[in-house]
């Protein structure tokens, strides 16, 4: 499989494109630019909480099977690829004007905007404001090229197969037991049917359950900016988010991968294969109203 290194991310399989499914891993980056550590108020190890820790390992089997993928390497603490580039907390940036940006959304109000501001229980991450030129440079050199690459790959895929499916791969902390039942180990998100034709998301949930795991649809994660930006179900470009419980493949501290990472990687590959088979058999499928 071909591999193309970009500034901060890697693209796999652009030339071969053997399946109508593209995997994206935006939050597993472990490359921390020095400005992050210079600006930190919290201990360095606290930033691990922002990572989808080693979620990039979960696509190894898929990439080995020739499935196209795009994997981010720079840390989410530097800039969040799953947020709109205008989802900026202006209080973090010197001389930024609130009137130049949309009203803060739920994630930004919780401290997780374009550049994360705070961690629950630990407070503010940074000891100083950033410069606007610095934020713009992060957007122009990394955030925007990542999304442009996804857009180009999906366009190429749609032209070749008549259909394209983006699977945005994340990991989640274990969900606590709820009164309503046993918490899921996987969450499939399709923005409540807005980003994907329902047969695809329903197929993933069914296949996960048949594999012996607990799965939920859209609760508590329905998908964020990457799905909103790239999904066009009526044009047969669909987008799903897949969240995987970190305890399924990391140690008890949720820090390092265990031998189980291989089995979860194979499960993801099987899910991708099921999606591809369904897509190729129903290339005229569109989302319901």
């Amino acid at each position: 499989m071909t591999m193309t290194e970009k500034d901060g991310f890697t693209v796999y399989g652009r030339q071969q494109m053997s399946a109508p499914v593209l995997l994206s891993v935006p939050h597993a980056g472990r490359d921390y630019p020095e400005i992050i550590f210079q600006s930190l108020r919290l201990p360095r190890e606290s930033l691990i909480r922002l990572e989808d820790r080693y979620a990039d390992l979960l696509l190894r089997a898929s990439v080995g099977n020739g499935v196209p993928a795009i994997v981010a390497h720079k840390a989410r603490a530097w800039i969040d690829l799953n947020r709109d580039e205008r989802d900026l907390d202006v209080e973090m940036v010197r001389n930024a004007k609130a009137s130049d940006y949309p009203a803060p959304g739920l994630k930004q109000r919780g401290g997780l905007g374009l550049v994360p501001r705070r961690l629950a229980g630990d407070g503010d991450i940074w000891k100083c404001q950033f410069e606007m030129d610095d934020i713009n440079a992060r957007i122009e050199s990394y955030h925007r090229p990542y999304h442009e690459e996804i857009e180009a790959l999906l366009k190429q895929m749609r032209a070749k197969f008549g259909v394209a499916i983006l699977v945005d791969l994340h990991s989640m902390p274990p969900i606590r037991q709820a009164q309503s039942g046993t918490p899921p180990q996987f969450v499939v998100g399709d923005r409540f049917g807005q980003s994907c034709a329902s047969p695809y998301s329903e197929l993933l949930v069914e296949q996960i359950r048949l594999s012996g795991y607990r799965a939920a649809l859209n609760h508590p994660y329905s998908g964020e900016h990457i799905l909103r930006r790239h999904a066009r179900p009526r044009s047969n470009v669909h987008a799903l988010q897949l969240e995987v419980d970190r305890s399924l493949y990391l140690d008890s501290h949720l820090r390092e991968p265990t031998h189980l990472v291989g089995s979860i990687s194979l499960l993801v590959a099987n899910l991708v294969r099921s999606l591809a088979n369904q897509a190729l058999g129903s290339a005229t499928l569109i989302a319901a109203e």
Side-chain angles (χ1 to χ4, degrees):
M1 166 170 281
T2 58
M3 182 176 71
T4 305
E5 295 287 349
K6 299 282 187 174
D7 184 10
F9 59 90
T10 301
V11 180
Y12 298 91
R14 179 192 285 116
Q15 277 71 38
Q16 296 94 334
M17 197 149 292
S18 62
V21 180
L22 171 65
L23 284 164
S24 161
V25 185
H27 282 169
R30 298 180 289 279
D31 176 7
Y32 286 84
E34 187 58 33
I35 189 174
I36 291 180
F37 298 133
Q38 293 172 357
S39 306
L40 264 180
R41 187 188 70 84
L42 300 177
R44 292 187 179 196
E45 58 269 20
S46 64
L47 296 180
I48 290 177
R49 291 176 52 195
L50 288 170
E51 296 178 13
D52 284 357
R53 190 74 170 163
Y54 290 109
D56 51 314
L57 300 184
L58 302 183
L59 55 66
R60 281 186 171 177
S62 299
V63 169
N65 291 339
V67 175
I70 178 169
V71 181
H73 301 309
K74 288 187 179 177
R76 181 185 181 186
W78 194 61
I79 195 166
D80 192 335
L81 296 169
N82 203 22
R83 298 290 182 268
D84 189 287
E85 62 183 56
R86 291 178 54 75
D87 190 11
L88 181 66
D89 186 333
V90 295
E91 293 183 4
M92 297 175 61
V93 183
R94 191 173 286 108
N95 297 324
K97 297 179 181 178
S99 59
D100 292 337
Y101 292 89
L106 181 63
K107 293 291 186 180
Q108 187 190 130
R109 293 198 300 271
L112 296 175
L114 179 66
V115 177
R117 177 175 180 173
R118 69 177 68 90
L119 287 170
D122 289 332
D124 284 351
I125 298 171
W126 314 109
K127 62 185 179 183
C128 57
Q129 289 181 303
F130 295 106
E131 298 293 338
M132 195 70 245
D133 286 348
D134 172 35
I135 301 301
N136 285 335
R138 300 184 199 190
I139 292 170
E140 292 168 8
S141 67
Y142 181 57
H143 187 284
R144 200 170 290 164
Y146 188 87
H147 286 279
E148 289 171 349
E149 191 69 40
I150 290 178
E151 185 176 356
L153 289 164
L154 291 174
K155 183 178 179 180
Q156 180 183 346
M157 190 173 287
R158 172 69 172 80
K160 180 173 182 177
F161 297 105
V163 58
I165 303 174
L166 172 65
V167 177
D168 199 41
L169 184 60
H170 296 258
S171 70
M172 61 184 183
I175 298 174
R176 293 181 180 179
Q177 179 77 35
Q179 291 182 350
S180 57
T182 307
Q185 297 163 300
F186 291 81
V187 178
V188 177
D190 64 4
R191 297 195 57 77
F192 299 95
Q194 294 181 51
S195 68
C196 181
S198 59
Y200 293 130
S201 46
E202 290 168 0
L203 173 67
L204 277 195
V205 171
E206 178 186 16
Q207 292 298 312
I208 292 166
R209 289 173 177 168
L210 288 174
S211 299
Y213 297 94
R214 300 185 300 274
L217 181 61
N218 288 315
H219 294 288
Y221 305 106
S222 63
E224 281 294 329
H225 173 66
I226 288 175
L227 268 59
R228 283 196 302 269
R229 173 163 178 171
H230 296 289
R232 299 189 304 280
R234 291 194 174 279
S235 297
N236 242 357
V237 178
H238 307 269
L240 291 158
Q241 181 171 284
L242 180 61
E243 293 272 3
V244 183
D245 185 333
R246 291 171 197 156
S247 67
L248 293 176
Y249 66 94
L250 296 181
D251 61 22
S252 59
H253 301 290
L254 303 181
R255 291 294 183 94
E256 299 301 324
T258 69
H259 68 284
L260 296 174
V261 71
S263 62
I264 301 302
S265 176
L266 287 173
L267 173 58
V268 170
N270 289 335
L271 296 176
V272 168
R273 186 180 301 111
S274 295
L275 280 176
N277 290 340
Q278 172 134 337
L280 292 173
S282 47
T284 58
L285 188 64
I286 61 171
E289 289 287 352

